[in-house]
Amino acid sequence: MTDPFASFDASSSFSLDSTLSFADVEPGDGQRWSTWPAITPTERGPQPWPEWVVTSAGALDTELGILKTGKEADVFLIERAVPDDPTQRTLLAAKRYRSEEHRSFHRSTVYTEGRRVQNSRDARALAKKSSFGREVAAAEWSFAEFNALCRMWELGAPVPYPVQVNGTEVLMEFIGTEATAAPRLAQERGDRHVLADYFTQVVDLMRIFAAAGFAHGDLSPYNLLVHESRVRVIDLPQIVDIIANPQGLDLLHRDCVNVCDWFARHRVDCDAEELFAELMASSYA
Ligand SMILES: Nc1ncnc2c1ncn2[C@@H]1O[C@H](COP(=O)(O)OP(=O)(O)OP(=O)(O)O)[C@@H](O)[C@H]1O
Ligand SMILES: [Mg+2]
């Protein structure tokens, strides 16, 4: 798979001459034509698309920089905009999964137990561990994350809106203002009342997951972002079916402990076992 931004140099800058007409525009360094028009409908986010989603074939994707290099994926800040049309401009987070050999971390197979590969060509490639197979394995995670985001978005959970998935790249709503990403909950130093409100929001979102039969599976103050006093949950590729996955209850329990440990250390009154019992009950209801 070719990376249209492979040669992007963060120090280089580009400019678009505002007198150019649309037909004269060519993608510059760190730019590509919007990938939206070529995306299969099932690989676009749930309808109705939020009004800020830019669907024009005349839009350019511009890479503005890297938000974070992670253990298994890198997250970039992208602008998708129609040149000279300020009403069609949006910021997106592009999460790009790396293939196995480029990862510093290997997710345990506990998450993938019971998950099936849709396409038999992909299944054979995965089994053979060819380079195409490794690419398929990375794309499995991007599709898993995209599908989880779609599902949770449709249930009303506070996740970033999933715009599209394209191979190993998920494009989603950027949580933040202009070029400043929202801080992780782990960095928050609010007073006890503010944090108690965040805790209520985290419990609410865990209830939405649990009522649908899922645990996040990697919940921690690093996968919760705080933007304009609202908590948003990210990093969903490993969501687990609480009942069908043999480790489901253990992972739900770990999520409860991770969350409650952090809030308890910040003097918010909470009890991991109580939370676990409540969520477990709602997942069986
Ligand atoms: N939609 C988003 N809006 C704003 N920032 C985001 C978004 N998605 C991810 N980020 C930033 O990128 C970081 C990494 O994202 P994420 O947790 O999904 O990837 P990861 O590969 O699991 O990272 P890690 O290895 O740190 O867990 C987040 O902590 C957050 O700072
Ligand atoms: Mg993360």
Side-chain angles (χ1 to χ4, degrees):
M1 215 163 286
T2 55
D3 177 357
F5 292 130
S7 61
F8 176 64
D9 170 3
S11 63
S12 73
S13 60
F14 64 90
S15 62
L16 284 172
D17 183 336
S18 58
T19 60
L20 289 180
S21 70
F22 166 60
D24 296 327
V25 175
E26 276 300 327
D29 269 356
Q31 287 190 315
R32 66 183 182 198
W33 288 111
S34 166
T35 47
W36 174 271
I39 298 287
T40 333
T42 54
E43 294 168 9
R44 292 177 176 162
Q47 304 247 25
W49 299 323
E51 34 73 35
W52 53 261
V53 172
V54 173
T55 58
S56 165
L60 288 171
D61 290 347
T62 304
E63 187 152 314
L64 300 178
I66 192 155
L67 285 169
K68 180 150 189 311
T69 331
K71 296 180 287 291
E72 54 189 347
D74 302 310
V75 184
F76 296 82
L77 179 63
I78 303 277
E79 179 200 63
R80 175 166 284 179
V82 175
D84 299 328
D85 183 353
T87 64
Q88 295 198 65
R89 174 183 180 271
T90 185
L91 291 176
L92 300 171
K95 183 166 177 180
R96 299 190 187 135
Y97 281 85
R98 296 197 218 114
S99 52
E100 294 285 337
E101 69 269 34
H102 296 125
R103 291 189 199 182
S104 54
F105 165 81
H106 296 268
R107 245 172 233 275
S108 153
T109 51
V110 299
Y111 294 117
T112 46
E113 272 177 69
R115 188 188 289 168
R116 296 186 48 207
V117 180
Q118 303 284 334
N119 172 318
S120 60
R121 174 168 176 252
D122 289 354
R124 285 194 301 275
L126 270 175
K128 279 205 303 209
K129 298 195 161 66
S130 61
S131 68
F132 174 64
R134 288 192 293 270
E135 199 70 41
V136 170
E140 280 282 296
W141 287 111
S142 53
F143 278 79
E145 174 138 44
F146 179 75
N147 290 332
L149 285 168
C150 290
R151 191 160 195 162
M152 292 306 154
W153 169 269
E154 289 184 306
L155 291 168
V159 295
Y161 176 76
V163 173
Q164 62 175 67
V165 59
N166 186 15
T168 53
E169 180 191 80
V170 182
L171 282 190
M172 65 185 106
E173 176 184 358
F174 171 66
I175 311 296
T177 32
E178 267 314 299
T180 313
R184 301 177 192 103
L185 176 64
Q187 295 153 247
E188 284 295 299
R189 295 286 171 272
D191 75 32
R192 195 143 60 99
H193 300 288
V194 173
L195 295 182
D197 173 57
Y198 294 164
F199 178 66
T200 307
Q201 294 186 46
V202 174
V203 171
D204 286 347
L205 72 87
M206 291 177 86
R207 282 199 188 109
I208 297 177
F209 276 64
F214 289 99
H216 180 285
D218 190 22
L219 200 59
S220 76
Y222 295 92
N223 285 332
L224 293 161
L225 305 181
V226 182
H227 182 52
E228 292 170 347
S229 304
R230 307 306 301 167
V231 178
R232 311 283 287 262
V233 60
I234 59 164
D235 205 2
L236 274 66
Q238 71 293 307
I239 62 163
V240 283
D241 187 313
I242 297 172
I243 298 161
N245 186 304
Q247 313 290 327
L249 286 175
D250 288 347
L251 292 165
L252 175 65
H253 186 258
R254 194 181 66 181
D255 284 354
C256 294
V257 169
N258 285 346
V259 163
C260 290
D261 274 1
W262 188 86
F263 279 105
R265 273 207 312 280
H266 293 81
R267 300 182 302 131
V268 173
D269 193 20
C270 57
D271 183 318
E273 299 310 320
E274 228 172 72
L275 177 60
F276 174 60
E278 187 217 306
L279 295 175
M280 188 170 51
S282 75
S283 75
Y284 281 95

